[in-house]
Amino acid sequence: MGSGKTVAGIPAAAAEPFPRAAGPWEPFADMLLQRAALVARVDRNRGPDPLAGLKVDDDDVAALLAELPGLETDGVAAGDRLHAALEDHVAEARALLHEAVAAGADRFASLAHGARLAAPDVEVLAVVCAVEADPRRQRLVGYLHDDVTLRRVTPWLLARLFATRDAPLEAVGPGGALRRAGLLAPGPDGPWGAAPLAVAPAVLWWLAGDDGADPDLPARVGRFRPAGEVPAGTPAEPPLLVTAAGPDRRRRLAGIAAALRVDELLVAFPPDGAVQWDALVRSATLLGLPVVLEVDGDLAPDAARRIEAATHLRWALSGPVHLPLSALPDVPWVEAEVADARATPAEWAARFPALPSPPFPLSADQLDQVARAADALGGDLHAAMRRLAAGHIDATAARIRPSRTWADLVLDPDREAQVREIAIRARHRETVFGAWAFDAQPSAGVVALFAGPSGTGKTLAAEIIAGDLGVDLYKIDLASLVSKYIGETEKNLSRVFETAEASNVVLFFDEADALLGKRSEVSDAHDRYANIEVAYLLQRLERYEGVAVMATNLARNIDDAFLRRIHVIVEFPVPEPPERRRIWARSVPAGAPVADDLDLDALADGVEISGGTIRNSVLTAAFLAAEAGTPITMELAVTAVRRELQKLGRLASAADFRSLGNRP
């Protein structure tokens, strides 16, 4: 419609009130609105009323009666003629719109392809977006409604713009394409015909070039790119749904990307509520990415329904275990191939080129986390490993940051070698079970048993092993995990093992007699459930991929089934005089004041006590010396030993101190 022309006696300038846009979707909307407005002016035979919609007078009633079916006036006939006269202009704008969408000319076209919109859906979206984007169009919409308060497109106006009540309304209905893709925002309650159709603001921002995240997205939504190359080729029809199960998240996502033949995924936990669901579907539609839902447990029915509805997207369900078949959405699905969880030497080399071999048995996801932590911690790999554990298992166990070394362990050579073998097994698992291909069934984990009286060095040895491996030690009292309530013990144990597997730490189970004792004859329900708890611990120990050390006072009380699953058993006896002499010497710091009469040989030979009792005796003697203002004397040391024996409920007989001469 060029300048100087008229349509039904109305200047063409009035029919082209907006400047032409860069894309064809706004001109198409403009043409529909202009035609409808021109027809409305002819039909009404009066100018716009600034109070339209706020009052109803006699003229309004007459106009409404004239519009009802069965009545025909000259104005209506004139409006029909004007409508027909403008049809060629609308058809031209419609053709340009669909040509541009087919060619993928702009972001609007990309959106139409991503949402798999049919031609009527594209036209309706163009109109609704154009009205939402420009207040001048909104004024026209108010005029067409004859109500200044209705400034958005409504179902009634759609039927009028398109001269039909079918195809346009299907696009915006509950099962329509625009609702399915989350492109329309929920509207307020009200009469159906006057319900405003609003485009989600994120869509308009995206059309304007803003790629920011939708504010309504659920928490912890991210984009994932697999490290390796995507398999070549694209299937004729990618699967609508892919499922992946396995212990390592990164491996699962890589398997999903390979199954879908894509190089990027949108990953999220299942949203909470319709607003978050719409935002997730909408974002995936705008970005053109498949959606991965990370599911730890059953899939909610609402999630299955959403997947079944949004068939324009590709979906995936990822979790540590397989979902029940009954929980899967009713759509075709395939199972992704998930690689072994453990990080490969090549992956270690890519993250830490200076390492000759993987020092820790990490999963691929853990390696990624450790590498990022190491960058934040100045490249300190051991500090990054400790940071990996923090926050996962701290709530279920007491953390011990190793500070002692092999020099602090006082054992006879054979027993010390046995303890060192535990660290050797953990350090070289990659070589034996990986490069040398030994069978790791049931797992590549290391389980050790330390047996001996309290204070003989069991906890110290576990700490030294953890320090040697560069990880933290987590001390767990099994007695505190045992519950009188059925099933609670298993839940407590499961929580500990799961967090430990996610953290790569050394577990130290103190007071293991609470569950490791011999299983009893089943005489009542209590015995039966107690045996179930023992069986569960056996199963978790078999599957545990890390290092677990069990401590007990009496090895003969341990169930034979446990002994068969333990790789290394070390007895920690009360130390002999030579070992006690070394412990006495190591327990006295170099800077402590010591009297000339302090005879460590006599103390070691005279009293048979454990290493822990020796360390406590030295500390007690030090406090007594500090109070007396003297060095640590032999008399104070003997007094301290007596105090420790009393604390243990052990009578200090004369025989215990025979070699100490006349000292008290």
Side-chain angles (χ1 to χ4, degrees):
M1 297 171 59
S3 61
K5 295 183 179 180
T6 62
V7 178
I10 298 175
E16 292 183 338
F18 310 127
R20 286 296 182 185
W25 58 278
E26 288 181 300
F28 170 73
D30 292 341
M31 185 56 63
L32 286 181
L33 290 170
Q34 290 170 34
R35 179 175 68 176
L38 291 171
V39 170
R41 286 188 63 181
V42 170
D43 286 346
R44 294 171 184 168
N45 196 25
R46 58 183 171 83
D49 186 347
L51 298 180
L54 302 180
K55 64 180 179 62
V56 179
D57 55 22
D58 292 340
D59 292 338
D60 295 321
V61 172
L64 290 172
L65 291 174
E67 292 179 2
L68 294 176
L71 296 177
E72 185 173 340
T73 66
D74 290 340
V76 173
D80 288 342
R81 289 193 298 272
L82 178 58
H83 190 282
L86 293 173
E87 182 59 35
D88 289 344
H89 297 284
V90 173
E92 179 184 356
R94 177 179 282 112
L96 291 174
L97 168 64
H98 291 300
E99 287 175 7
V101 169
D106 56 10
R107 285 198 168 205
F108 184 87
S110 174
L111 171 58
H113 284 291
R116 298 191 181 184
L117 301 181
D121 306 325
V122 171
E123 295 174 12
V124 171
L125 181 63
V127 171
V128 177
C129 285
V131 170
E132 198 77 12
D134 196 319
R136 293 170 297 177
R137 298 187 184 105
Q138 294 162 22
R139 292 180 64 189
L140 268 184
V141 168
Y143 173 73
L144 290 171
H145 283 122
D146 200 18
D147 186 341
V148 296
T149 65
L150 290 179
R151 300 172 68 86
R152 284 188 167 120
V153 178
T154 62
W156 177 86
L157 183 57
L158 276 183
R160 185 163 186 171
L161 291 175
F162 288 89
T164 177
R165 298 187 62 84
D166 298 325
L169 296 183
E170 291 178 2
V172 299
L178 302 186
R179 298 285 185 190
R180 177 199 68 204
L183 304 181
L184 296 182
D189 294 333
W192 175 81
L197 301 173
V199 180
V203 174
L204 293 169
W205 281 112
W206 186 82
L207 289 174
D210 189 322
D211 293 321
D214 193 317
D216 290 328
L217 278 171
R220 299 178 62 188
V221 174
R223 297 164 73 166
F224 172 83
R225 287 182 173 272
E229 294 184 359
V230 177
T234 301
E237 184 63 27
L240 180 62
L241 176 65
V242 174
T243 65
D248 185 73
R249 174 180 179 270
R250 197 168 191 82
R251 290 286 192 255
R252 296 195 305 266
L253 296 180
I256 291 169
L260 292 172
R261 301 290 201 277
V262 296
D263 60 4
E264 190 172 11
L265 302 166
L266 186 65
V267 186
F269 289 95
D272 183 15
V275 173
Q276 290 188 2
W277 268 111
D278 286 344
L280 180 61
V281 172
R282 180 168 56 245
S283 295
T285 302
L286 296 176
L287 297 171
L289 296 178
V291 181
V292 181
L293 295 181
E294 297 196 284
V295 184
D296 188 5
D298 287 340
L299 185 69
D302 184 53
R305 182 179 62 82
R306 282 287 187 156
I307 293 174
E308 292 165 359
T311 54
H312 66 289
L313 296 176
R314 291 295 173 261
W315 294 85
L317 300 174
S318 170
V321 297
H322 291 283
L323 289 171
L325 291 176
S326 59
L328 295 179
D330 188 17
V331 296
W333 59 277
V334 299
E335 188 77 44
E337 294 185 11
V338 179
D340 182 73
R342 188 163 299 177
T344 64
E347 289 172 324
W348 270 98
R351 294 287 189 172
F352 299 98
L355 294 177
S357 62
F360 305 110
L362 297 182
S363 69
D365 194 40
Q366 289 173 331
L367 175 60
D368 183 58
Q369 296 176 42
V370 167
R372 286 186 279 116
D375 291 340
L377 297 171
D380 189 335
L381 178 58
H382 289 278
M385 284 295 302
R386 292 191 171 93
R387 186 64 184 86
L388 176 68
H392 282 284
I393 195 173
D394 285 350
T396 57
R399 178 169 65 168
I400 298 176
R401 182 161 292 177
S403 60
R404 268 82 70 87
T405 66
W406 293 107
D408 297 303
L409 184 63
V410 179
L411 286 174
D412 63 81
D414 182 61
R415 289 189 173 90
E416 181 177 337
Q418 287 180 285
V419 176
R420 287 180 179 271
E421 287 173 12
I422 300 169
I424 290 171
R425 281 176 174 266
R427 187 180 301 109
H428 296 291
R429 283 180 295 177
E430 289 293 329
T431 300
V432 174
F433 296 124
W436 294 355
F438 275 78
D439 189 358
Q441 294 299 328
S443 75
V446 182
V447 181
L449 176 66
F450 291 170
S454 298
T456 52
K458 300 188 292 295
T459 304
L460 172 64
E463 177 188 338
I464 292 171
I465 291 171
D468 186 66
L469 297 175
V471 299
D472 285 343
L473 176 73
Y474 280 84
K475 185 177 180 181
I476 301 160
D477 186 355
L478 267 178
S480 67
L481 299 181
V482 176
S483 173
K484 64 180 180 180
Y485 297 105
I486 295 173
E488 285 300 312
T489 301
E490 292 91 322
K491 289 182 181 179
N492 294 337
L493 288 170
S494 176
R495 190 178 302 112
V496 167
F497 278 108
E498 287 174 1
T499 51
E501 285 171 338
S503 307
N504 196 56
V505 299
V506 173
L507 288 180
F508 181 69
F509 290 93
D510 202 10
E511 303 294 339
D513 311 72
L515 271 182
L516 299 186
K518 296 181 182 295
R519 282 173 283 188
S520 61
E521 295 289 336
V522 177
S523 59
D524 56 25
H526 181 272
D527 292 335
R528 180 167 65 254
Y529 286 114
N531 288 345
I532 291 174
E533 294 169 352
V534 174
Y536 180 81
L537 181 57
L538 284 170
Q539 295 170 8
R540 289 306 277 116
L541 280 175
E542 281 190 334
R543 302 200 313 268
Y544 183 53
E545 293 286 339
V547 179
V549 179
M550 326 292 287
T552 178
N553 291 334
L554 294 172
R556 63 175 178 269
N557 288 342
I558 303 302
D559 193 298
D560 291 341
F562 278 104
L563 295 177
R564 289 194 299 271
R565 290 165 171 81
I566 292 173
H567 303 106
V568 180
I569 299 177
V570 183
E571 291 281 353
F572 284 75
V574 175
E576 296 296 325
E579 285 79 31
R580 292 201 294 269
R581 174 63 174 79
R582 290 165 57 194
I583 297 172
W584 275 104
R586 291 179 184 277
S587 300
V588 180
V594 176
D596 294 338
D597 69 337
L598 184 63
D599 190 344
L600 299 184
D601 290 324
L603 289 169
D605 292 334
V607 189
E608 185 178 333
I609 52 179
S610 67
T613 303
I614 292 174
R615 283 185 285 273
N616 289 340
S617 298
V618 172
L619 191 60
T620 299
F623 279 110
L624 294 175
E627 174 64 19
T630 66
I632 301 174
T633 64
M634 188 65 172
E635 179 179 348
L636 293 177
V638 172
T639 300
V641 170
R642 288 183 181 275
R643 294 287 184 268
E644 289 302 313
L645 292 178
Q646 290 171 356
K647 185 173 68 177
L648 296 173
R650 175 177 160 185
L651 294 177
S653 64
D656 288 326
F657 297 92
R658 184 175 298 115
S659 65
L660 301 182
N662 295 326
R663 297 183 180 90

